[in-house]
């Protein structure tokens, strides 16, 4: 993470100075990002969950598949917002967008209208699955941080929406360098805390499953396969029909074609 931060610091360094209109919008909740404030000549605008940020949020409530609601603060302004975005972590996404709008001079009405746009939910979306289940489609890509965030969403939504099981379908995470093994183990430990059933996809995904077992997940609750096709075939046997059905998170790097699992499950078909 430190090496990534060092590389990303080139961006605020390259911005024009403040008197030429340069603005660096930085996450005040991430110490590695906030440290970039001392590396730029641009005006710094911070966002986060701490009242010390220029733009901050509190009163965050997840409403399951209905989205999230929270309160935004900027100077003397305080605005309540309810957005069609899944999971508490999406508040940071909304803060980034709102910060960009404020820096560009947009009015609050324009910012909130943009955030409420259904197309704003670009990554993690909920779609109907077989046998009354709900699929959380987060197949855009995967990293340790985004995977753990998605598992948290699975935990939040399953608790709010239904009594069905929480099924995590997790694939390889690529381009992690020397952090590769530890990253997959970290996800495995989090999956053990959240999921009732875990299906891993790919060679690296097996490390997720192995770590979940070491952390105490029952052997019968962990399944490891090599491909998205095998994952779909397995899931169609594991999903239990119920009016208040299972919640299934599908997440992994693009190279595994995890999106095909979602498509085939939606149609209830064996690929």
């Amino acid at each position: 993470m430190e090496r990534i931060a060092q590389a990303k610091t080139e961006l605020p360094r390259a911005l024009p100075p403040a008197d030429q209109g340069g603005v660096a919008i930085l996450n005040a909740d991430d110490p590695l990002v906030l440290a970039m404030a001392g590396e730029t000549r641009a005006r710094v605008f911070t966002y986060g969950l701490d009242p010390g940020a220029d733009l901050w949020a509190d009163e965050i409530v997840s409403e399951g598949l209905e989205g999230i609601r929270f309160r935004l603060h900027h100077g003397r302004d305080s605005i309540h917002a309810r957005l069609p975005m899944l999971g508490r972590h999406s508040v940071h996404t909304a803060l980034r967008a709102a910060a960009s709008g404020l820096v560009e001079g947009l009015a609050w009405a324009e910012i909130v209208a943009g955030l409420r746009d259904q197309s704003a939910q670009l990554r993690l979306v909920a779609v109907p699955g077989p046998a009354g289940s709900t699929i959380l489609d987060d197949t855009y890509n995967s990293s340790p941080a985004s995977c753990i965030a998605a598992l948290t969403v699975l935990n939040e939504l399953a608790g709010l929406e239904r009594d069905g099981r929480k099924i995590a379908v997790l694939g390889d995470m690529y381009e992690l360098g020397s952090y590769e093994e530890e990253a997959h183990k970290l996800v495995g430990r989090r999956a053990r805390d959240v999921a009732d059933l875990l299906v891993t996809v790919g060679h690296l995904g097996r490390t997720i499953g192995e770590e979940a077992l070491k952390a105490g997940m029952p052997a019968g609750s962990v399944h490891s396969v090599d491909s998205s096709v095998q994952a779909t075939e397995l899931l169609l046997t594991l999903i239990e029909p119920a009016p208040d059905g299972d919640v299934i998170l599908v997440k992994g790097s693009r190279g595994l074609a995890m999106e095909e699992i979602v498509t085939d499950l939606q149609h209830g078909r064996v690929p």
Side-chain angles (χ1 to χ4, degrees), residues 18 22 30 33-35 50 61 66 101 116 121 138 189 200 230 241 257:
D30 187 332
V33 175
L34 188 59
D50 190 298
V61 177
E66 299 301 314
R116 286 175 177 164
Q121 183 67 45
D138 196 7
R189 292 193 290 271
T200 71
Q230 292 174 335

Side-chain angles (χ1 to χ4, degrees), residues 161-178:
E161 299 296 325
R162 60 191 70 219
D163 297 324
R165 299 170 303 168
K166 294 170 283 188
I167 302 176
V169 185
L170 307 177
D172 296 350
M173 297 179 290
Y174 298 143
E175 301 177 1
L176 297 175
S178 60

Side-chain angles (χ1 to χ4, degrees), residues 13 44 66 108 157 195 197 264:
R13 281 179 184 155
V44 173
E66 299 301 314
W108 274 117
L157 295 189
L197 290 177
D264 290 331

Side-chain angles (χ1 to χ4, degrees), residues 114-269:
L115 292 174
R116 286 175 177 164
D117 188 338
Q118 291 289 339
S119 64
Q121 183 67 45
L122 298 177
R123 292 186 62 160
L124 196 157
V125 296
V127 296
S133 65
T134 297
I135 303 170
L136 301 181
D137 178 4
D138 196 7
T139 56
Y140 176 80
N141 213 332
S142 191
S143 68
S146 67
C147 194
I148 289 172
L151 284 166
T152 299
V153 174
L154 172 65
N155 197 40
E156 290 176 1
L157 295 189
L160 287 169
E161 299 296 325
R162 60 191 70 219
D163 297 324
R165 299 170 303 168
K166 294 170 283 188
I167 302 176
V169 185
L170 307 177
D172 296 350
M173 297 179 290
Y174 298 143
E175 301 177 1
L176 297 175
S178 60
Y179 185 55
E180 181 179 272
E181 183 177 2
E182 180 56 32
H184 286 81
K185 287 182 176 180
L186 184 66
V187 169
R189 292 193 290 271
R190 180 57 177 157
R192 178 257 179 267
D193 293 337
V194 169
D196 299 306
L197 290 177
L198 171 62
V199 176
T200 71
V201 185
H203 173 70
L204 297 173
R206 290 183 181 273
T207 302
I208 297 175
E210 291 166 0
E211 190 65 18
L213 290 170
K214 288 180 183 178
M217 198 165 190
S221 299
V222 179
H223 307 266
S224 293
V225 298
D226 296 321
S227 68
S228 59
V229 171
Q230 292 174 335
T232 302
E233 292 173 344
L234 176 63
L235 286 163
L236 288 172
T237 68
L238 292 175
I239 297 170
E240 296 178 349
D244 203 18
D246 298 331
V247 181
I248 307 156
L249 168 67
V250 184
K251 186 164 181 64
S253 289
R254 295 286 289 173
L256 289 172
M258 300 286 284
E259 68 276 4
E260 294 179 5
I261 298 174
V262 176
T263 300
D264 290 331
L265 286 180
Q266 281 188 278
H267 293 89
R269 69 190 181 203

